[in-house]
Amino acid sequence: MRAFAALGAVSLLAGCSPSPSEAPAAAPSPVGQWQVESIDGATVDTRQPPIFVSIGKDWAYASSQCVWWRWSWKSDGKGGFSATESPFLLRSEPNASADPVAMCARGLSAHEQAFEAKVQASDAISMAGNDDLLLKGKGSSVKLKRRPNIEGRWDVASINGKPITTQDYPIHLTIADGEIYAASQCVWWKWKYRTTGKTLTKERTETDVPICERGRSETENRFEKAIEEASSWSLGEDQSLTLKGPAGSISLQIGP
């Protein structure tokens, strides 16, 4: 993939130099949870599967139902960054081994093909405010909108301040369309939810579905108790998500 070159605030003020007492404005950060809004100016057809994009500090992961893509990226130190495909992970499940696994047999839809082609042709990125991200290339563009409040793909980083370690099964969450789905290996949970401002309300669903025979770890039990009682949420400047309630807090980071 071609390099991405960010258009920071300084480049937008071409020809103007900051005074010695002024520090150059920081380039906008693409880190966050996004949804593709338009491709080449055409709004994505809502009858098509939505394309979601999670961008971490050095990686980007995009998914559309059972189709997925992954890239690695790094800053050039001057407000820009370069992105490259991760071939062994491209269209592989997150956390998969080096051997790609098959994606859905239906193949790619027209707008999925267009998304892939336009992203690969992009060589510049710009942001309008905090909620609009634009990838541009010669004759192509992909516009992304930041996903609202708690929506996105997340990994649990800590529970009540205690970090998840390599001895624990990682806990992944997908939050979208009024539903929270959490999975820890073969243990999983589902809730319906809604937010009002920073208030979070939930209703457990499908509690009678059997889980794996191994039972649950201490970490999984702590997670279940904390999220069951979580009643508020907040986003940090680094786009991390915190859920809080009487049983404590859960810190989540953007996940692939």
Side-chain angles (χ1 to χ4, degrees):
M1 176 179 290
R2 288 197 244 166
F4 285 64
L7 301 179
V10 176
S11 65
L12 295 177
L13 299 175
C16 297
S17 299
S19 65
S21 61
E22 294 178 337
S29 172
V31 171
Q33 307 278 10
W34 306 91
Q35 180 172 348
V36 175
E37 183 176 75
S38 66
I39 299 174
D40 287 347
T43 302
V44 171
D45 188 341
T46 56
R47 295 171 296 182
Q48 299 290 334
I51 301 176
F52 298 118
V53 183
S54 298
I55 302 179
K57 64 178 182 178
D58 57 6
W59 54 266
Y61 176 86
S63 64
S64 174
Q65 285 188 330
C66 51
V67 178
W68 52 84
W69 306 262
R70 181 162 179 149
W71 297 273
S72 299
W73 67 271
K74 62 181 180 179
S75 170
D76 66 3
K78 300 177 181 179
F81 68 96
S82 60
T84 57
E85 292 178 2
S86 301
F88 69 95
L89 281 174
L90 190 63
R91 301 191 189 125
S92 294
E93 290 285 5
N95 305 315
S97 63
D99 296 325
V101 297
M103 62 175 184
C104 45
R106 67 169 172 79
L108 275 67
S109 68
H111 86 295
E112 289 164 349
Q113 292 179 43
F115 167 76
E116 182 179 82
K118 301 304 179 182
V119 169
Q120 300 215 160
S122 298
D123 57 14
I125 183 172
S126 61
M127 291 183 69
N130 190 50
D131 296 328
D132 293 296
L133 179 67
L134 186 66
L135 302 178
K136 297 197 300 182
K138 187 175 182 180
S140 69
S141 66
V142 179
K143 183 179 180 183
L144 301 96
K145 177 72 69 175
R146 193 179 295 278
R147 299 179 70 178
N149 52 61
I150 67 174
E151 282 199 7
R153 301 172 64 93
W154 305 95
D155 289 340
V156 175
S158 65
I159 303 170
N160 295 330
K162 184 177 181 180
I164 300 296
T165 71
T166 55
Q167 303 302 311
D168 298 308
Y169 294 110
I171 303 175
H172 309 289
L173 284 81
T174 299
I175 306 177
D177 299 326
E179 184 176 83
I180 299 173
Y181 174 79
S184 175
Q185 201 208 28
C186 52
V187 179
W188 57 271
W189 306 262
K190 277 187 178 182
W191 296 266
K192 291 182 179 179
Y193 82 92
R194 64 186 177 89
T195 57
T196 304
K198 297 296 183 181
T199 299
L200 173 66
T201 56
K202 303 178 306 304
E203 177 186 350
R204 187 75 173 270
T205 60
E206 300 186 45
T207 55
D208 58 341
V209 177
I211 61 171
C212 49
E213 294 181 357
R214 67 167 172 79
R216 302 188 185 189
S217 68
E218 178 187 350
T219 298
E220 290 163 348
N221 285 327
R222 288 191 296 112
F223 166 77
E224 181 176 39
K225 182 174 177 58
I227 196 170
E228 282 280 8
E229 298 192 25
S231 57
S232 67
W233 64 274
S234 61
L235 280 176
E237 291 185 2
D238 61 354
Q239 298 300 311
S240 61
L241 173 64
T242 300
L243 305 179
K244 289 185 177 181
S249 64
I250 302 172
S251 177
L252 301 106
Q253 60 191 12
I254 296 170

